[in-house]
Structure formats: structure tokens, C-alpha cells
Amino acid sequence: MIEHAFLVGFSKSFGLFYLIALSIAVVIYAMKPSNKKQFDEAAQSIFRDEAGPWR
Amino acid sequence: MSLFGFHYRLERKAIGLTLAIILVASIGGLVEIAPLFTIHQTVEDAPDMRVYTPLELAGRNIYIREGCYACHSQMIRTLRDEVDRYGPYSLAVESKYDHPMLWGSKRTGPDLARIGEKYSDQWHVAHMNNPRDVVPVSVMPAYGWLLTTELRTDDLGLHLKAMRRVGVPYTDDMIANAAVDAYAQSNPDSPLADGVTKRYGKATTLRAFDGQPGRLTEMDAMVAYLQVLGRLTDAATKSTARAEAGQ
Amino acid sequence: MIAQLTLTERQHAIMISAAVAVLGALMILVGQDDAMSIHGVLVFVASAIMIFRIGGSYYAPLPSDDRLAHYYDDPSKVGIVLSMIWVVVGLAVGDWVAWQLVNPDLTFGPGWSSFGRLRPVHTTSVIFGFGGNALIATSFYVLQRTSRARLPDQVSPWFVLYGYNLFCLLAVTGYLMGVTQSKEYAEPEWYNDFWLVVVWVTYFVIYLRTLARRKEPHIYVSNWYYMAFILVVAILHIVNNLAVPISLGHTKSYSAFSGVQDAMTQWWYGHNAVAFFLTAGFLGMMYYFLPMRAGRPIYSYRMSIISFWGITFFYMWAGSHHLHYTALPQWVQTLGMTFSLMLLIPSWASAGNVLLTLNGAWDKVRDDATLRFMMVAGVFYGLTTFEGSFMAIRTVNSLSHYTDWTVGHVHAGALGWVAMITFGSIYASVPWLWKRQQMYSPKLVEAHFWLALAGTVIYVFAMWNSGIVQGLMWRTYTESGTLAYSFVDTLVAMHPYYIARAVGGLLFLIGGCIGAYNIWKTIRISGAAAEQASDVPQPAVVGAGTLQPAE
Ligand code: HEM
Ligand code: HEM
């Protein structure tokens, strides 16, 4: 049987670690210079008028 | 052309995004909610807690059907003014048989967690029939038809059975006699009344709730439910008394 | 529209409708002495109509392969029309219940029209009927354009759209008959919940199948938001609705959870319905239609990604702020409060992105009511999320909870953000979809804008006042240490604010009706003169769109 106290302790501490780790990962992904070109292109991509689906 | 041919790589990206979303989103809820399912290890139990009688359960279902929960909470918070206004704050055990809970999120009308036996049956009947007869500025709708609609009892056994499947300790005896008990609880003079007391305990209230003995209406069920709110256990009054004694 | 379907597609559509009709017949059969049979009749009639409509055009000439050179927009068109129907109904019922709080005798007597039954009709019609249809319609539109791929087939989108509307219809007719689970925003009963799961899974499969055929390697960020909306709503819906029906022939079921666990599950659901239905989906809409209408790319694509993951993982922890000072253990409340405060970061990143995208195009915002709808939506999104984070602080919540302050917050988000971004996106996409130069009457769009803004401001201010007054009265003590006001005293104090709210709601409703009329006229005017050639939206009508690189 899993102890209530253990689960609560896990929740309280894990929340914090999870938050920090994910934040770092996301910021790295978003800010990585090598991704910049891809993002700029994506932002512009919706304007490209190709008048219809490619398939 | 196919899903797995030329576009395999692109497909992988969409699936990856899908999995990432599921993972990131579900962990939070899991980690936070899981401990609540082991909470019985820490919260004190209420050994005197009884289950709803079939009549009270039917009343609860009418409460749900009419959407009373949209305007009335059943959760007294741990704040001084709430305790002064409505009574001892609500404990977790008190709603352990509430499938679903009816804590509510809006008080267009007052909290009802401890409304039981605060007013007379007659008051409730008059109030449900037309709230403005007893509270002139009330904005509550009138529920006059409860007094004239017969209560449906033939499926009450099914209700109790379903409640048992989700964990409420109804006995076979209770399930078999559900319809009879509903009738008897509002007909204290009937010979069947003893069965209700036997199955649900001496503290169970048996009265002609709607003021019409011999007739079982939705009003009977509704008033029976309202009169038992906050009275399935006295854990709350006990714990408040203990807290005060401890000071 | 059936003429667009190939022969096999017509056959599939008939087979699916027939299967649904069988389900309806079964419901009638097993649910004989229950509201279930009435729902069975509804299901049966709905599918019979489908069968007759498809059957009637079964021998219509087959479509040419030309159709494959265009995006498949028919479901989006129908979705937008349905969305406008639902919004008029939902707002009208909302205003009706608002007047009921002014004068409770406006129920006129019968059970179905009492406040408790109509209130979920209002919330379901506006959130799921209006919002949901708009999300489905725009998501198909955006998905195809950003992937440069056509929807994979011509049947499943219809299944999703009509199946979803059947869900909404069963839901609201159920409440009127008293069929409800009582869980806020998850009121529909077990059989309807099952049905929604089927529809929802199909919806997501369409998404994956279309993405798999896309040309762009990168998946545009709008689709991230739409996908999170679909996926997370599925998870929430399934978990929160776990229940045991009393029999297969009864509508009634009992929730698998009780008490504290049920409360936490319900508000984990409830709050994330706000997050993923009312926020993520509409952000997806915003990230496509705002740049398109403004004719400039989103200010910071990076910020949109950061806020995406922020929203996806912060929101899930925040549900417990609905349960402050209750019997829920305090550590859960604290966790909910902390994450709610942090939510402000991704939320404001999105709101900021809206305003910064428009920065430098204020002349367009001035001239174009459609763009103004979107701008105001961004402002209200920022306001509502700020207010939400503030209300999540325990001490603030001790005042606001249970009062109209919550209702004010809800409608600042619902009217100011959800409805405004939707109206903006619909006004942008209707001319694009029906290939018109512009809306039938730009003046009426302008009128709708001002009515909507005035209605929202009046509503929200009235509820802030009413909520704070009531909250303070509840906790006021006399000098001798007793409570100063009875509950009834607060009702008297709130009366004027209830009138103001109902008037504000009326303005908003009139605006909605004008919008529906304008859209109808745009669809009906013969487009010959106005036809555009391209399938791809033309950037804003006012001021030629000059594209500028972001950042
Ligand atoms: C004409 C405009 C509207 C009016 C007059 C109106 C009126 C109302 C009223 C009277 C209530 C009940 C409040 C209470 O119980 O005290 C309510 C609740 C609600 N409405 Fe509206 N409404 C309108 C538009 C909308 C829109 C557009 C949405 C969503 C997109 C919406 C979403 C909701 C929600 C979620 C609730 C439940 C709030 C809660 O539980 O705290 N409403 N509305
Ligand atoms: C950072 C973002 C937000 C936070 C932290 C937040 C927080 C809160 C809080 C603390 C409550 C009051 C709970 C209570 O006392 O019962 C609430 C209620 C609500 N909020 Fe928000 N909110 C946010 C954004 C939004 C947005 C954008 C909407 C969009 C429409 C929205 C819709 C609602 C609804 C519908 C309720 C009422 C739930 C109910 O009681 O029925 N919220 N929110």
C-alpha cells in the first residue's frame, strides 16, 4: 500500500522540479539560435499564396 | 502517398507532438489528485455515518434534476463568518457518500450544508411551493409541481445498486426493500415503518414530510433530503467541540 | 453539398447514419419508461433526416476531380452557420436567466423553464454550441491552409460536425427534462458522454491524417493549440465522466467519485475546460486569423511556443483554486494557488503577442471593426487572466468565491475574450469562405462591435460591484460581534446590479443577432460580382497588407 504521506511529499516536491525542468527545456527549444530560421519561416508561412492544396 | 511511406518522418513529428502534449498535460493532474485517493489513511472516519435512505436519495436526485446546485452550495468554508452564519465548517467525511458531490460554486441562495431540521417541514413545503410566500424578496423559482407529482419508486432498487457499485455500503436488504422503505419513511403510521428504522437506524426521521400522509410525492423526497442535510453524522459538531475544549 | 461526395462516400455516409439510427431505435426500445426514449427519438429522427438527404441526392452527378484542387470548406461553412445559431439561442437564454434573477416569476411556471434547468442550457449553448462549432469550423479551415493539404476524406468531417451538434442537442434538451449529472460543464449523462468520445476521437484522427499529408515540415503553432484543445479535452472528459448508470435503459448514472475526490476531479476538469476549451482552442484561432487579417506575421513566434507549453503544463495544476478553504487538504489548495499565479506568465505572453502584432498597424485597427474585435479580445484575455490569478490567491478568493465576482470574471473571459475573438475570426473568414469581397454590411459589423463592447463592459462592471458588495456584506460584523446582514439583505443590495447585467446582456444579444443577420445576408447575396478566385484568404480589406518580418 502506498503511503499517503509519501504521495503528498512527492506531489509537493515533484511539482517544483517538474516545473523548473520543463521551463528550462522549453526556453532552450524556443530560443535556440538554430531554430530561429525555422520559426521565422513558420510565422511567414501562412501568407504564402499557393491557391489551393498541394494534394 | 501512404501514411508510412514517403511521409514517415513528418508523421513522426505529429505523433511526437501528440505524445508530448498528453505527457505534459496529464502528469500535473495525476500527481496532484492521486494522493487524495489515499486520504482515508489520514482523515478520521465517522463510524456513525449512515447512508441516504431511498427517499432521501430520491430527493437528492430531484435536487440535481432541478439544478438547485447552481444557486446553493453545500460546503461551509473554514472562515469565521461562514461558521457563524451556517454552522460548523464542512468536513471531508461528510460527503463521502455523495456521488457526485454537490459542493457548488455559487451562492445565489444561502448554503445548505446544515439546513437539516433548521426549519419545519411545513416551512419547506410552503417555501418550495412559492418562495415569496415566506421570503418576500427571494429570487428562487417556485417548484409547485413537486407537491402534485407522484414520486417514482419502482427503480429505486436500481439506484441503490448503482450506488453500491461505486462504493456506498447498501445491503441486499436495503436494495430489495428500496421502494417500500421510500413509501414507509413518509408514512410513519404504516406497519412498514419499522423496516426503515431497522435498516437505516433509529435516528432516521419518519414523517409525512409534505403534510399529506398516504401520498408519496416528490415533495416528500425533497423535504426528506433537505431535512437530513448535515445530519448523516455528527462528526462536524464533535470535532468543533473538541477544538473548543482544546483551546 | 452532397454533390461533392463521391459514390463510396455517399454510401459510407448512409451506412453511418443508418448505424446511428439503429442506436436511436435501441434507445427507444430499452429506455421505454425514461427520458432516454425521447432522446432515442431525437437520435433516430436526426439520422433519418441525414439518410433522406443523402439518399435524395444519391444519384446526383458525381463530382469531378477538380474538387481535389481546392480545400474542402463545406464543413467549415456549415459549422459557422451552426455556431451563429447556437450563439443567438445561448445568449437569449443567458439574458432570460439574467432577467429571472431580477424577477423570479419570469419562469412562467413550468419546470423546464426554471433557473436551475435553463442555466446549463445557457452555458452549454454558448460554450459548446457556439464556441465548439466555431472551433471545429475554424480548425478545419486553418488546418488545411497551414498544412497546404486537403482534408483526408469528405465524410469524417461531417461526422464530427453533425455528431458534435447531436451531442449538444441531446445535452440541452436533456437539461430541460432534468437529465443532468450536475457536474458543471460536464452535465450530459453517460450515453451522451460516450457518443462525444466517438466523435472526438474521429476529430483527432482527421487532424493526424491531414498533418501526415502536409507540405510544410513545420507544424504551424495554431495547430499545436487546436491539438492540445482536442487531446486534453478528451482526457478530462473521459476521467471526469466516469460513472455507473443505474441500467442501460435509464439516463441516470452515479459518478464513480464522491466527496473530496469528486470535487478535485470535477474542478481539475472544470478549470481545464476553461484552459483547453475556452483558451487553447481560441488561441489557435487567434494565431491564424489575427496575422491574416492584420496582414502581418505574429510578433513573436517564439513567445507563442513558450506560452503554449506554459499553458499546457501550468493549467493542469491550478484546478484546486476553485476549492479554497473547503474540506480539500490545504497543501492541494496551496499548490493550485502557486501554479495559478505562474499562469500569468504564459497568459500575458499571449495577450502581449496580440497587441505587439498590431503595434504599427493601429490605423487598420481604427478602420476595421473585425480587427478591433480581435484586439479587444486580446485586451480582455490579458485582463481576465490577471483577474483569475488574483482571485486564485486564497485570501482574495475568500471574498470572491460563491459571489458574482466569479460570474463577472467568467463573463469578462467569455464575452470579452471567447466571443470577441470568435466574432472577429468569423467576420474575417466568412468573406474568404464564400468568396465575397467583404461582409454584406461593414456598418453592421461596426454596430455589432460597439454593442458587444458596451454589453461586456456593463455586464462585467455590474458583476464586480454586485460580487464585492455581497462578499463584504457577508463578512461584516456589528460592534457587538454578530453578523450585521442577513442573507436576504444582500439580495436587496444586489437587485440594481442584476438589472444592469441583464441590460448589458441584452445589448450583447442584439449585437449577436445583428451579426447573424449580416452573415446570412453575406451568404445569400449573389456572389457573381464579388467572387474571388483564390482559395487562400486575402489579407485585410482595408489598407493593403504589407508584410513585415517579425522581431
Ligand atoms: C447575453 C450575454 C450573456 C448573459 C446575459 C449571460 C448571463 C448569465 C447568467 C445570468 C448566468 C448565471 C449566473 C449565476 O448563476 O448567478 C450565467 C452563467 C454563465 N455564463 Fe453567461 N451570459 C451571457 C453570455 C455568455 C457567453 C458568451 C458565455 C461563454 C462563451 C457565457 C458563459 C457562462 C458561464 C461559463 C456561466 C457559469 C458561470 C459560473 O458557474 O460561475 N455566458 N450567464
Ligand atoms: C490565468 C488564467 C486564469 C486563472 C488563474 C483563473 C482563475 C480563476 C479563479 C480563481 C476562479 C474562481 C473559482 C471560485 O472561486 O470558484 C475562476 C473561475 C472561472 N474562470 Fe477563470 N481564471 C483564468 C482565466 C480564465 C479565462 C481566460 C476564462 C475564459 C472564459 C475563465 C473562465 C472561468 C470560469 C468559467 C470560471 C467559473 C467556474 C465556476 O465556478 O463555474 N478563466 N477562474
Side-chain angles (χ1 to χ4, degrees), chain A residues 8 11-12 14-15 18-19 22-23 26-27 29-33 36 38-40 42-55, chain C residues 68-71 146 148-150 213-216 218 220 288 291-292 296-297 301-302 305-306 309 313-314 317 331 342 534 536 547-549:
Chain A
V8 172
S11 268
K12 289 193 209 171
F14 179 79
Y18 178 46
L19 166 80
L22 255 162
S23 306
V26 167
V27 170
Y29 172 69
M31 292 310 191
K32 213 162 95 183
K36 181 169 167 43
Q38 181 197 355
F39 292 155
D40 288 345
Q44 291 288 347
S45 69
I46 52 174
F47 297 104
R48 245 175 278 144
D49 185 350
E50 292 179 13
W54 79 304
R55 63 178 185 162
Chain C
L68 298 177
H70 296 277
Y71 295 115
T146 53
R148 298 191 206 295
R150 197 170 196 272
R213 294 147 37 90
R214 76 186 182 279
K215 188 176 188 185
E216 304 283 330
H218 182 83
Y220 185 69
Y288 182 82
M292 284 316 285
R296 27 200 301 136
Y301 197 81
R302 290 171 157 169
I305 289 177
I306 294 179
W309 290 111
F313 76 81
F314 287 151
W317 297 76
W331 65 267
M342 280 179 315
S534 168
V536 164
L547 305 188
Q548 298 157 5

Side-chain angles (χ1 to χ4, degrees), chain C residues 61-115:
Chain C
L62 292 176
S64 73
D65 278 347
D66 274 359
R67 73 182 191 288
L68 298 177
H70 296 277
Y71 295 115
Y72 190 43
D73 284 336
D74 289 351
S76 299
K77 290 181 180 174
V78 176
I80 284 178
V81 172
L82 286 169
S83 171
M84 291 309 293
I85 294 174
W86 278 108
V87 78
V88 170
V89 172
L91 295 180
V93 176
D95 207 39
W96 183 9
V97 295
W99 286 109
Q100 284 189 356
L101 290 181
V102 175
N103 175 1
D105 290 323
L106 291 175
T107 63
F108 308 111
W112 63 266
S113 62
S114 74
F115 184 90

